[in-house]
Amino acid sequence: MEIDPVVFSLRAGWLGMLGGVLSGALIGLFFLKPNWMGGYGSQPRRLVRLGHISFFGIGLINLFYALSLTPLEVPVQAGRWGSLALAVALVSMPTCCFLTAWRQPMRHLFPIPVLSAATGIVIIIANSF
């Protein structure tokens, strides 16, 4: 079965929006507790907020990617690879943020989402000129 990169990225983007809403609702239950996760300015709490926001940010990148493939005439096979890379970024960035908030050595996993997002972006740029 061939994957349509436009549909795949649109679905991934909207799932990212849902992830942002649900994770925000979950962590929002604890925000009024002043010492939750070490207080408002603590590194673990900042990382949890970053994970929540990364769902929205990378979800938007997926949506913009999907909406850009056809007008920029990106070849379908290249589009598939970019869609896959951005989906990996969508899942791995919030996961890395949440894991690093839990255990600091998990920060070494951050190259996964960074390289995945960069790969998707480079694919669309390289194939649209």
Side-chain angles (χ1 to χ4, degrees):
M1 176 170 85
E2 296 288 322
I3 294 172
D4 179 349
V6 173
V7 173
F8 183 82
S9 289
L10 284 171
R11 287 181 176 148
W14 284 113
L15 286 171
M17 298 297 122
L18 180 61
V21 169
L22 294 177
S23 64
L26 182 64
I27 63 179
L29 295 173
F30 304 100
F31 270 15
L32 292 178
K33 296 181 179 184
N35 292 322
W36 180 63
M37 297 188 78
Y40 187 79
S42 71
Q43 185 175 7
R45 192 159 165 172
R46 288 194 317 261
L47 281 163
V48 167
R49 289 194 312 264
L50 181 62
H52 153 65
I53 292 303
S54 72
F55 273 119
F56 289 114
I58 299 177
L60 281 172
I61 292 172
N62 274 273
L63 291 173
F64 288 136
Y65 182 87
L67 297 174
S68 300
L69 288 172
T70 302
L72 294 177
E73 299 177 357
V74 174
V76 174
Q77 191 58 33
R80 286 187 186 118
W81 283 109
S83 291
L84 179 61
L86 290 172
V88 169
L90 178 64
V91 172
S92 61
M93 182 61 81
T95 301
C96 285
C97 291
F98 297 143
L99 287 174
T100 303
W102 175 57
R103 296 283 186 258
Q104 194 176 33
M106 297 292 196
R107 72 186 186 282
H108 298 294
L109 296 174
F110 274 107
I112 296 168
V114 171
L115 292 174
S116 298
T119 298
I121 292 167
V122 166
I123 285 173
I124 198 162
I125 291 170
N127 287 280
S128 65
F129 287 98

